[in-house]
Amino acid sequence: MNIEGIKKILTYFLKRAVAVFITIAIAIYLTIVIANAGGYVDKIIEDEIRMNVAMAIRNDPTVRGFTDEQKQKIIENRVKNEMRRRGLDQPFIIRSTYHLKRALLLDLGTASSMTSDSGSMLVKNIILERIPLSILLFTTITLIDFFSALYLGLKLSRRYGSFLDKLIVYLSPLSTIPGWFYGIFLIMIFYSWLHILPPGGFIDFPPPPTLLGRILSIAKHMILPILSWFISSIFLSTYSERNFFLIYSTEDYVEVAKAKGLPDKIIERRYILRPALPPIITSFALALISSWMGAIVTEAVFNWPGLGMVLSRAIGSFDAPVIVGVTVIYAYLLGATVLLLDFIYALIDPRVRV
């Protein structure tokens, strides 16, 4: 490749990176505005500050002889100082721009009320403490669903119109029901009736003393969440990928390969599977990134202590820094995935040229 070609590639990806960054900035700013309810949450914080200062003044023996007017003046001064310390004395439009700058630089600040299990109020620590648990569960779910649907979809494309093919088509509407819904019934069956699997949680309490015991305990707690999402997604995923393979199997180059007498496995791998991979890889990559943010309802049903539970608590307690922090992490992961997919397309799709 000559220098001119390299310059064109670098220019293209630079433009793509700038466009993605602008999109991320817009998404983060909208999240800041929504998370603060246009400044309403800051009003709640101001009221809490005023209430705490008033209680402190009321219980302060050094101002016991002061008149109500003098006490009120002290309260107002302390409230103003605290508001200035937190930056709440500035208009919301200015503060939101400042928050956007910090978020883009991954300076996520401190939570308003939440803490990590270690007691830290840094949003970074709260997220880093829980995101591995969401990655563990939902990445496993995504990988199992992806490879199972890929295998079944390719198999059904060879057996179009068979009983199994028709059965998957008929069962695909079941995938419109979310995984947590199936999870409730699975808990009733395997925990309430059969008493063979735990209803939720991350590990037995007290934890097993050995490493192998802890691994087996975590795996046991993952069975029901994985099974619930697998039942929810496998039929539609298989149906979708079966349709992809059927579309590509009717292309002219596939017919030519068949006419040449190439084996079916080579035709499937080289002329059907590879051209169909770009949309499949895209779906898989985006599903994987989304899964890392955790599923709020699923984690609540199974009491899985991942990022979904953190986000749920943050929304319930109006903890805007945590909400914004989770959104920032997701936005950067999504942007990086979009850029990475451009490279992957060039590697796996023979129709893409530099």
Side-chain angles (χ1 to χ4, degrees):
M1 184 182 298
N2 56 29
I3 297 178
E4 188 64 27
I6 295 176
K7 287 182 178 179
K8 288 182 179 180
I9 293 175
L10 294 177
T11 302
Y12 168 75
F13 280 105
L14 180 60
K15 290 180 180 179
R16 289 281 292 164
V18 170
V20 169
F21 182 79
I22 293 173
T23 304
I24 290 173
I26 294 173
I28 293 175
Y29 185 77
L30 290 176
T31 303
I32 292 171
V33 174
I34 295 172
N36 283 274
Y40 177 72
V41 174
D42 290 340
K43 178 62 177 175
I44 296 176
I45 296 174
E46 180 181 350
D47 292 340
E48 290 180 354
I49 293 173
R50 187 174 299 278
M51 181 181 65
N52 293 334
V53 170
M55 291 179 61
I57 293 298
R58 191 177 298 113
N59 297 325
D60 188 353
T62 61
V63 297
R64 187 164 297 168
F66 288 24
T67 64
D68 291 341
E69 184 177 341
Q70 290 174 323
K71 290 180 180 179
Q72 187 61 35
K73 188 175 180 180
I74 296 174
I75 291 174
E76 292 297 330
N77 288 333
R78 291 192 181 181
V79 168
K80 287 181 179 178
N81 291 334
E82 182 65 18
M83 294 282 289
R84 189 180 300 111
R85 187 183 69 84
R86 297 194 184 189
L88 296 174
D89 58 328
Q90 299 290 331
F92 177 73
I93 186 66
I94 296 177
R95 284 185 283 113
S96 62
T97 305
Y98 172 70
H99 293 324
L100 174 61
K101 177 184 176 182
R102 291 180 57 191
L104 291 175
L105 295 175
L106 294 179
D107 180 8
L108 304 180
T110 58
S112 300
S113 58
M114 296 177 60
T115 60
S116 65
D117 292 339
S118 60
S120 173
M121 293 190 69
L122 292 176
V123 175
K124 176 183 65 175
N125 292 341
I126 294 173
I127 294 176
L128 291 178
E129 189 177 72
R130 296 301 182 91
I131 195 171
L133 303 184
S134 291
I135 291 176
L136 173 64
L137 178 62
F138 291 99
T139 298
T140 304
I141 291 172
T142 305
L143 289 173
I144 292 175
D145 177 65
F146 173 73
F147 287 107
S148 299
L150 193 66
Y151 171 76
L152 292 174
L154 192 58
K155 185 175 182 179
L156 292 180
S157 67
R158 297 196 303 262
R159 302 180 181 181
Y160 176 72
S162 65
F163 171 77
L164 182 59
D165 180 55
K166 293 179 181 179
L167 180 64
I168 293 294
V169 173
Y170 293 145
L171 292 178
S172 58
L174 293 177
S175 294
T176 58
I177 302 175
W180 60 263
F181 183 82
Y182 292 109
I184 295 174
F185 289 97
L186 291 175
I187 291 173
M188 293 173 58
I189 295 171
F190 291 97
Y191 174 71
S192 301
W193 296 347
L194 301 179
H195 306 289
I196 59 176
L197 289 174
F202 175 66
I203 195 171
D204 291 335
F205 185 82
T210 64
L211 176 61
L212 178 60
R214 289 194 291 271
I215 293 175
L216 293 177
S217 177
I218 294 171
K220 181 177 64 176
H221 283 78
M222 291 174 62
I223 291 176
L224 290 186
I226 290 175
L227 186 59
S228 66
W229 272 76
F230 183 80
I231 296 173
S232 172
S233 60
I234 188 60
F235 301 116
L236 186 58
S237 298
T238 301
Y239 176 70
S240 300
E241 298 195 7
R242 165 257 201 192
N243 287 343
F244 272 124
F245 295 136
L246 283 176
I247 292 172
Y248 283 97
S249 63
T250 60
E251 294 288 345
D252 293 338
Y253 52 79
V254 176
E255 298 297 332
V256 171
K258 291 179 179 179
K260 289 180 178 180
L262 293 177
D264 290 340
K265 290 186 177 181
I266 294 179
I267 293 176
E268 288 177 353
R269 184 176 65 251
R270 186 179 302 172
Y271 297 101
I272 298 178
L273 181 59
R274 190 178 180 188
L277 275 181
I280 295 174
I281 293 294
T282 300
S283 176
F284 169 74
L286 297 179
L288 186 62
I289 296 301
S290 299
S291 72
W292 290 358
M293 293 300 101
I296 295 178
V297 182
T298 299
E299 291 190 359
V301 168
F302 291 101
N303 195 29
W304 187 265
L307 203 58
M309 291 284 284
V310 169
L311 189 58
S312 176
R313 286 175 51 201
I315 294 173
S317 60
F318 295 103
D319 202 320
V322 176
I323 298 174
V324 173
V326 173
T327 304
V328 169
I329 298 299
Y330 176 70
Y332 272 113
L333 287 174
L334 187 59
T337 302
V338 170
L339 292 176
L340 182 61
L341 285 174
D342 280 339
F343 286 102
I344 294 177
Y345 288 159
L347 293 176
I348 66 176
D349 194 341
R351 297 166 298 178
V352 176
R353 294 291 180 267
V354 175

